[in-house]
Amino acid sequence: MIYISATVLGMILLLFSNHIKERYSFLGVARSEYREHNNLLAIPFYGILLIVYILFTLIAATRYYVGTDYNTYTIHQIPQALSGGTDTGYDVEILYKALIQLGAALGSYQWIFALTHIIILLFIFLYIKDRSVNYSQSLFIFVFCTFFNFSLNGMRQSIATAIFLYSTKYISEKKIIRYYLCIAVAILFHTSAIVYLFFYPLAYLRLNKKRIIVILPILLMLSVGSKYIYKLLFALSLKLNLYSKFFGSVYDNVLNFTDMYVLFLVLNIVILLFFYFLDTNESERMSLPDGESSVEGLNTDINIQLVATVFSAISFVIPGAFRAIYMFIPIQITLLPNMLKKIERKDIRVLITVLFGIYYIFLFSYLILYHNQNETLPYQSVLFK
């Protein structure tokens, strides 16, 4: 199957890339030092990452009627954007409308899907390049947490999420203007990105281990009070005229997605517990590939992971949560590899890595291979139709 085959190939290539990075002391030093001493090595190092980016871009760009919304966009959103229609059910944001117009000008609707994933994967791979200490593991999580397959369906939301992930470094670095500029662009692709406006203060929230113990009972309270949360969200959606169509619709039938919510909730809680038992003390000199402090980077990512966990706890009563959950889950793409790197004992690190890997494989197998969530199977390409 093409998604698994591409991931295995990409991981092998990126393992070699990681070998270059570790062999020449790129990991754990500031970017300026790397540039000063290893400029020539940057060519094969980033070249491998570019090859993997092109591989996944080709898979997404050349797909043909793959993904639930491929047909919806072809029949509704794209024609309306090109004709200036006013059906509010199929409106697209201003930047995505511009992308549709550009793609159509290039000659076919297929260019629209290609441009969409050129953007999504560009920001995802830049995010991995800047903020992950293990590219191979990050690629694995990107695919097996099912975000790649989701992006073949929820395209505008995925652009917004990819831009947000890239911008998380500005939270850690406390560069507020750059962060909000990125989020402004994300909102112009998909209005759901408005929620990211509230994430910048996470830079000042230190999530220590004592708070983890306090948070777990809160998750239970949220679940118990879920019916009141439902009523509040419904009232807000009517007031703001946002996503009210999901309430009472087929997306309001939680039974269709209960298994998915449980799987993600378990995963999110386990990651928080992993953080609780992890020794996070380290020298401030240690840094992520972009020169960002790994202490600040981990703090930012674990705070976003906390948001993902809280959302998972109430997802059972949120119509359309099966889409919204992908706004937060992808932070694991860099969070887990960076946490795993902090385990000093190699045998324990390998064991925990394998256990997480098994869980992600089960998650992908159950949601994608068994349930065909997002309808990305069977894969078809315009190159072979």
Side-chain angles (χ1 to χ4, degrees):
M1 199 254 276
I2 192 166
Y3 307 118
I4 297 175
S5 301
T7 304
V8 171
L9 176 59
M11 288 179 68
I12 292 171
L13 292 172
L14 291 176
L15 279 172
F16 179 66
S17 173
N18 261 32
H19 171 73
I20 295 175
K21 185 167 60 175
E22 293 181 357
R23 173 67 178 80
Y24 292 94
S25 302
F26 178 27
L27 184 65
V29 299
R31 177 187 281 183
S32 59
E33 295 178 50
Y34 172 72
R35 286 177 172 171
E36 181 179 350
H37 300 293
N38 301 298
N39 279 330
L40 291 177
L41 290 171
I43 297 174
F45 176 70
Y46 291 128
I48 292 172
L49 195 62
L50 178 62
I51 290 170
V52 179
Y53 165 76
I54 292 172
L55 171 64
F56 276 85
T57 300
L58 285 174
I59 292 172
T62 64
R63 75 189 191 280
Y64 183 67
Y65 283 93
V66 173
T68 306
D69 282 357
Y70 189 104
N71 189 58
T72 305
Y73 272 76
T74 301
I75 296 174
H76 299 292
Q77 274 96 338
I78 294 174
Q80 175 162 303
L82 294 173
S83 65
T86 57
D87 187 341
T88 56
Y90 299 107
D91 278 346
V92 296
E93 292 77 4
I94 187 170
L95 282 186
Y96 201 76
K97 184 175 183 179
L99 184 149
I100 288 175
Q101 292 170 339
L102 174 60
L106 291 174
S108 75
Y109 283 7
Q110 194 63 39
W111 276 107
I112 298 168
F113 298 104
L115 290 172
T116 296
H117 267 81
I118 287 173
I119 295 173
I120 292 172
L121 292 169
L122 174 63
F123 281 101
I124 290 292
F125 275 77
L126 286 174
Y127 164 61
I128 291 173
K129 178 185 76 68
D130 285 347
R131 306 199 69 234
S132 176
V133 299
N134 191 311
Y135 292 177
S136 183
Q137 290 177 358
S138 289
L139 179 69
F140 174 83
I141 296 171
F142 169 54
V143 176
F144 281 84
C145 81
T146 69
F147 182 60
F148 178 62
N149 289 75
F150 171 76
S151 74
L152 301 177
N153 176 23
M155 297 181 292
R156 285 152 45 225
Q157 178 184 317
S158 296
I159 292 179
T161 298
I163 294 172
F164 164 70
L165 291 172
Y166 171 76
S167 72
T168 52
K169 63 181 182 179
Y170 298 131
I171 298 177
S172 301
E173 296 168 358
K174 296 182 173 62
K175 295 180 179 178
I176 186 170
I177 294 177
R178 292 186 183 184
Y179 175 73
Y180 280 116
L181 283 175
C182 287
I183 301 307
V185 172
I187 292 170
L188 293 176
F189 275 109
H190 199 255
T191 53
S192 67
I194 289 174
V195 71
Y196 298 135
L197 293 173
F198 303 99
F199 277 55
Y200 185 78
L202 295 178
Y204 302 95
L205 175 63
R206 313 305 299 187
L207 185 60
N208 59 42
K209 296 181 178 182
K210 292 181 181 178
R211 290 175 182 169
I212 296 290
I213 300 300
V214 174
I215 287 165
L216 293 178
I218 292 175
L219 294 177
L220 177 61
M221 291 171 61
L222 288 173
S223 299
V224 172
S226 58
K227 66 178 182 180
Y228 301 106
I229 295 172
Y230 178 92
K231 292 178 180 179
L232 175 62
L233 292 173
F234 184 40
L236 285 173
S237 70
L238 291 174
K239 184 74 174 178
L240 300 174
N241 194 28
L242 287 174
Y243 304 110
S244 56
K245 64 181 180 181
F246 288 111
F247 289 87
S249 71
V250 64
Y251 301 112
D252 203 1
N253 184 1
V254 72
L255 294 178
N256 291 334
F257 305 101
T258 297
D259 291 349
M260 172 188 173
Y261 298 152
V262 170
L263 287 171
F264 277 126
L265 179 59
V266 170
L267 175 62
N268 288 330
I269 290 175
V270 168
I271 290 175
L272 281 185
L273 291 174
F274 177 30
F275 174 78
Y276 178 80
F277 290 106
L278 184 68
D279 181 9
T280 56
N281 295 321
E282 64 173 35
S283 170
E284 284 288 345
R285 186 177 179 275
M286 294 293 291
S287 61
L288 299 181
D290 66 345
E292 171 191 341
S293 164
S294 63
V295 173
E296 295 301 322
L298 179 59
N299 185 71
T300 296
D301 289 359
I302 198 65
N303 278 323
I304 297 170
Q305 173 62 32
L306 174 60
V307 174
T309 309
V310 172
F311 184 85
S312 294
I314 62 174
S315 60
F316 300 91
V317 297
I318 300 178
F322 69 96
R323 282 178 175 260
I325 203 166
Y326 286 104
M327 297 178 67
F328 316 114
I329 289 294
I331 197 64
Q332 296 168 9
I333 294 170
T334 58
L335 172 63
L336 265 180
N338 295 350
M339 290 173 70
L340 289 167
K341 187 67 179 180
K342 293 179 180 295
I343 303 175
E344 293 185 0
R345 283 187 54 179
K346 185 176 180 179
D347 56 339
I348 295 178
R349 183 168 66 248
V350 170
L351 175 61
I352 294 176
T353 300
V354 169
L355 290 176
F356 271 114
I358 291 172
Y359 193 91
Y360 278 113
I361 291 171
F362 173 74
L363 183 73
F364 182 88
S365 300
Y366 188 76
L367 295 181
I368 303 301
L369 301 184
Y370 181 68
H371 280 294
N372 195 17
Q373 186 173 293
N374 300 305
E375 298 182 319
T376 55
L377 295 174
Y379 178 83
Q380 304 172 100
S381 172
V382 294
L383 302 177
F384 306 107
K385 68 175 182 177

